[in-house]
Amino acid sequence: MNKEDFSDEELLRLLSAEGEERNMLYKKGARIKADYVGRKVYYRGLVEFSNICGKNCNYCGIRRDNKNIRRYTLTDKEILDAVRFAYENKYASVVLQSGEVESKGFTSRIEKLLREIKHISNNELGVTLSLGEQTRDVYRRWFDAGAHRYLLRIETSDPELFKKIHPGDSRHDFRRRLECLQSIKDIGYQTGTGIMVGLPFQKPEDIAGDILFMRDFDIDMIGLGPYIEHRDTPMFRYRKLLLPPEERFHLTLKTIALLRIIMKDINIAAATAMQAIDPLGREKALMAGANVIMPNITPGKYRDSYKLYENKPCTDEEAEDCNSCLEARIHMAGDEIGYGEWGDSKHYIKRQYNEKQG
Ligand code: SAM
Ligand code: SF4
């Protein structure tokens, strides 16, 4: 645990830690976080602006073939009102997330929204996008319009497992996902990726491989959370293969702590899915090494329709409710909130500097 880096075998050993050893791992993650990125938690106001998706990932509740949900798209005004809420409450950054749509109309709409967000916030709000796989040209246009972070989870770094959790067609291709991640990095975004922990068929070896993948890809930010089943998805039939939720939860926390120990100065988000398993899930993630929280600022009436998995928390709340509730919870975890600060990934800042130095 006191090493700077780990081999496959050492990672496997630490991923299986239990009891006191497991607590020590979390404490180590928290200490490295305090030493390298500080005890400030940065907010990214999350706008889940549409559940319309052209893809059919086998795990996801808003996949194209799920006919059991009401599809919605927020109007530009609704998106900008949510963004204004974030700005006025000193969130400093927002995340625009939706199902995956590749079209000229969608590209231009996001481009226009990005310019508008920059305009209404006097260029002060940071914008992260999480809009799935796009062409390099589209990523570039959105970057030029003001987005500076992009989150695209690899989901799993093992091509075979990737095939098992996606339909076997050209729209769900591991190589394309990797290429997209590379384009995002090349263009100059702060590059975020992540995985789902506790997928059916996923072995501890896979998670160790994912940790090493994220290290070797030299990513700047991580958003990872436990896989949670959804009854209207093809993967629901494998629910008997899953680890109990509590074990999936701790496996996720251990993965966060290990990533923090290895990658010290990256940003790590405490995913909402943590809270679906444990009411204090996000706070526990902060205490194992995470330093970013994405409060949901989507208008309450839409939240029930952005159900990626069962038990999604806070779907009956509005942004204001989340605000006061979260603040108390973060203080409880012993951290403070970096109101009004972008909280950019220190890793990215160093990486850019080193690249400029040649
Ligand atoms: N469509 C974009 C994409 O796929 O990158 C962004 C939105 S997508 C809903 C965001 C993330 O939700 C995915 O990367 C996936 O890891 C996560 N997700 C989907 N279904 C999930 C589930 N059943 N349990 C946990 N996380 C899930
Ligand atoms: Fe669509 Fe993203 Fe869900 Fe896949 S994970 S079905 S791309 S919203």
Side-chain angles (χ1 to χ4, degrees):
M1 212 178 288
N2 289 321
K3 293 177 72 174
E4 295 286 305
D5 204 356
F6 304 107
S7 65
D8 256 331
E9 294 72 33
E10 287 163 338
L11 284 174
L12 275 176
R13 165 86 179 78
L14 289 165
L15 283 169
S16 68
E18 291 295 337
E20 194 40 41
E21 202 178 46
R22 187 171 77 189
N23 287 340
M24 278 166 65
L25 182 59
Y26 299 159
K27 279 195 191 126
K28 176 87 184 178
R31 204 165 60 243
I32 302 269
K33 164 178 140 179
D35 288 350
Y36 285 81
V37 294
R39 295 211 63 172
K40 265 192 196 159
V41 174
Y42 300 102
Y43 276 0
R44 319 276 185 241
L46 175 64
V47 192
E48 297 164 334
F49 69 88
S50 173
N51 65 358
I52 295 174
C53 187
K55 283 176 84 170
N56 241 338
C57 306
N58 292 344
Y59 41 84
C60 179
I62 63 171
R63 65 198 299 274
R64 190 186 62 215
D65 285 356
N66 182 10
K67 305 286 179 243
N68 219 358
I69 51 168
R70 189 173 53 97
R71 300 286 168 177
Y72 73 88
T73 302
L74 264 63
T75 62
D76 286 0
K77 179 174 179 314
E78 284 171 319
I79 296 175
L80 294 172
D81 283 349
V83 165
R84 237 176 247 113
F85 172 88
Y87 183 52
E88 284 162 6
N89 284 278
K90 300 200 168 43
Y91 280 15
S93 280
V94 290
V95 182
L96 298 186
Q97 187 180 84
S98 74
E100 194 176 297
V101 177
E102 283 190 81
S103 76
K104 278 190 187 150
F106 185 78
T107 303
S108 319
R109 183 180 184 215
I110 299 299
E111 203 170 29
K112 212 172 108 242
L113 279 166
L114 285 166
R115 296 197 200 282
E116 196 62 31
I117 292 171
K118 288 287 164 182
H119 176 68
I120 62 173
S121 70
N122 297 318
N123 238 348
E124 287 171 25
L125 269 183
V127 188
T128 308
L129 296 179
S130 171
L131 307 174
E133 295 171 20
Q134 304 286 340
T135 62
R136 185 178 275 256
D137 178 52
V138 169
Y139 288 137
R140 153 85 46 210
R141 278 174 62 182
W142 291 343
F143 186 77
D144 291 343
H148 68 140
R149 307 184 185 116
Y150 204 103
L151 185 60
L152 181 71
R153 287 187 180 179
I154 192 75
E155 316 294 2
T156 168
S157 63
D158 178 55
E160 288 310 309
L161 182 55
F162 191 93
K163 256 193 220 155
K164 282 195 183 127
I165 63 172
H166 293 99
D169 61 29
S170 58
R171 262 214 97 165
H172 303 82
D173 180 45
F174 182 73
R175 261 173 318 172
R176 173 152 201 243
R177 200 146 189 102
L178 267 185
E179 280 161 17
C180 284
L181 209 50
Q182 191 59 53
S183 298
I184 290 165
K185 194 170 173 203
D186 293 345
I187 287 166
Y189 284 97
Q190 289 176 49
T191 305
T193 194
I195 56 163
M196 280 175 287
V197 177
L199 288 162
F201 314 113
Q202 186 185 49
K203 298 187 290 297
E205 288 82 351
D206 294 319
I207 300 175
D210 293 335
I211 294 174
L212 297 177
F213 166 83
M214 291 188 253
R215 178 197 68 185
D216 296 343
F217 203 88
D218 203 17
I219 54 97
D220 306 305
M221 335 183 283
I222 288 176
L224 64 78
Y227 161 70
I228 301 174
E229 58 275 33
H230 188 299
R231 64 184 58 252
D232 298 321
T233 62
M235 247 157 71
F236 194 64
R237 80 177 87 118
Y238 300 119
R239 62 193 177 284
K240 296 222 165 67
L241 299 181
L242 297 173
L243 292 171
E246 161 96 7
E247 277 183 46
R248 259 180 275 165
F249 180 78
H250 278 290
L251 197 51
T252 310
L253 283 185
K254 286 184 265 188
T255 308
I256 289 177
L258 285 168
L259 282 161
R260 173 60 73 201
I261 295 170
I262 297 173
M263 300 199 63
K264 301 187 172 31
D265 56 358
I266 57 171
N267 277 350
I268 304 180
T272 313
M274 303 292 288
Q275 204 186 337
I277 296 187
D278 181 327
L280 290 177
R282 287 191 296 186
E283 294 70 12
K284 289 181 181 169
L286 294 178
M287 293 195 286
N291 69 327
V292 167
I293 279 203
M294 294 164 37
N296 198 337
I297 55 169
T298 312
K301 66 175 172 178
Y302 296 111
R303 291 193 192 181
D304 211 32
S305 303
Y306 201 84
K307 271 211 174 137
L308 312 176
Y309 45 79
E310 315 271 327
N311 289 331
K312 192 169 174 223
C314 308
T315 53
D316 57 350
E317 288 179 4
E318 290 291 344
E320 291 81 359
D321 307 326
C322 292
N323 210 18
S324 45
C325 156
L326 248 185
E327 194 171 76
R329 285 155 164 264
I330 289 168
H331 288 151
M332 216 166 65
D335 285 343
E336 58 172 302
I337 302 161
Y339 280 123
E341 297 176 48
W342 272 19
D344 276 337
S345 158
K346 288 198 165 62
H347 188 81
Y348 171 80
I349 296 166
K350 250 191 246 159
R351 185 163 70 77
Q352 290 293 94
Y353 177 81
N354 289 341
E355 277 167 20
K356 282 200 185 101
Q357 297 300 304

